Amino acid sequence: MRVLIIGGSGFLGAELVRQATAAGHSTAATYATRPGDVSPAVWCPLDLRDAGRLDAVMAEIGPQVVINTSSRRADWAVTALGPVQLAKAAAQHGSRLVHVSSDAVFSGARVHYDETCLPDPVTPYGAAKAAAETGVLAVYPEAVIARTSLIVGDGGSVHEQAVHELVAGTRSGVLFTDDIRCPVHVADLAAALLELASNGASGIHHLAGPDAVSRHELGALIARRDGLDVSRLPEGLRADSTLPGALDVRLDSRATQRRLTTTLRGARLFCMATGVTAQPVGP
């Protein structure tokens, strides 16, 4: 299978490139500023806002599957419009498309969200991700929209880095006890995305772990796993802060999990087993 990873030098993108190449797929990946270091992947510079360059990359690689992990927070041109541009190109070139979205499309008003729930974002980033979902499915109904939550690894995620810096006292701030999500391990997520890309899926799917934990509980799990002093993790309430965004958003991934062989582990499990990775899907 020829696979093109958009945003391959990012945290999730790099894991996708690693798993795809390990599984024997012919793999190419794009980057905005610098290429990743996974070989033998082919690395291509790309700005999704450049339709001409995008078409050239698609023509050069000829991917059977495109997985889009790129995002630039609330930048509308990249986060909202870029994926629609990509969906048009994928449809024109006959490539399957898996677009990675976020639980930020939800307000938290109903707490539990399955794939039938309509987006109701409360932040500019969430609005951009929701617009991308709508646009992608409008121009390419056969595409996959894969919503996920906080992505954690075995040390490389922004969440894990923040925990280490907070414990060391090199970072200010707190971890909220009332900000609840369903974290997923990057290896599980990458394997599930590759599986969705290869099993004929379409439409909206949720890919998050089964454990609903606060950011502070997640931080404590990471700290214990890494042998850090949990008591040094500062805590607070998001409700008392000026930060916008939902408090409690729990993605229900059970419907998608039933069609996958990849197990999406909960945070309490994957933080107990550093180095355990999901098995990639074969060619």
Side-chain angles (χ1 to χ4, degrees), residues 12-37:
L12 173 58
E15 179 62 20
L16 277 163
V17 173
R18 189 195 68 77
Q19 289 196 24
T21 55
H25 300 308
S26 175
T27 306
T30 73
Y31 63 94
T33 55
R34 63 179 184 275
D37 56 5

Side-chain angles (χ1 to χ4, degrees), residues 53-254:
R53 173 60 183 162
L54 173 58
D55 189 67
V57 169
M58 292 291 291
E60 176 186 350
I61 302 301
Q64 295 166 293
V65 168
V66 179
I67 302 178
N68 179 32
T69 71
S70 66
S71 180
R72 195 176 294 169
R73 301 307 299 173
D75 186 321
W76 194 265
V78 175
T79 304
L81 302 182
V84 181
Q85 195 92 273
L86 178 61
K88 292 177 181 177
Q92 291 168 358
H93 287 268
S95 306
R96 282 184 50 72
L97 174 64
V98 177
H99 170 68
V100 179
S101 190
S102 166
D103 58 10
V105 302
F106 297 122
S107 70
R110 61 178 295 161
V111 178
H112 299 277
Y113 293 89
D114 64 18
E115 287 88 345
T116 67
C117 296
L118 297 177
D120 60 340
V122 292
T123 63
Y125 171 64
K129 296 298 281 188
E133 290 186 6
T134 301
V136 166
L137 290 178
V139 302
Y140 197 2
E142 295 80 14
V144 171
I145 302 295
R147 294 180 184 137
T148 192
S149 189
L150 304 181
I151 306 173
V152 180
D154 294 328
S157 72
V158 294
H159 311 292
E160 291 157 297
Q161 292 168 10
V163 168
H164 280 250
E165 291 168 2
L166 285 168
V167 170
T170 59
R171 180 189 185 110
S172 60
V174 299
L175 294 178
F176 297 127
T177 57
D178 60 345
D179 187 332
I180 298 171
R181 298 294 187 272
C182 295
V184 65
H185 195 283
V186 66
D188 300 345
L189 177 57
L193 290 168
L194 286 168
E195 192 172 346
L196 287 175
S198 64
N199 70 5
S202 63
I204 295 173
H205 297 269
H206 285 182
L207 297 175
D211 294 344
V213 298
S214 71
R215 289 182 185 264
H216 185 271
E217 183 180 355
L218 177 61
L221 290 168
I222 292 168
R224 292 190 189 97
R225 182 199 68 187
D226 296 347
L228 304 178
D229 184 354
V230 176
S231 68
R232 292 183 59 83
L233 283 177
E235 61 181 71
L237 293 174
R238 183 165 187 160
D240 291 340
S241 77
T242 58
L243 289 176
L247 288 179
D248 194 342
V249 176
R250 310 183 190 198
L251 291 187
D252 183 345
S253 304
R254 289 176 294 180

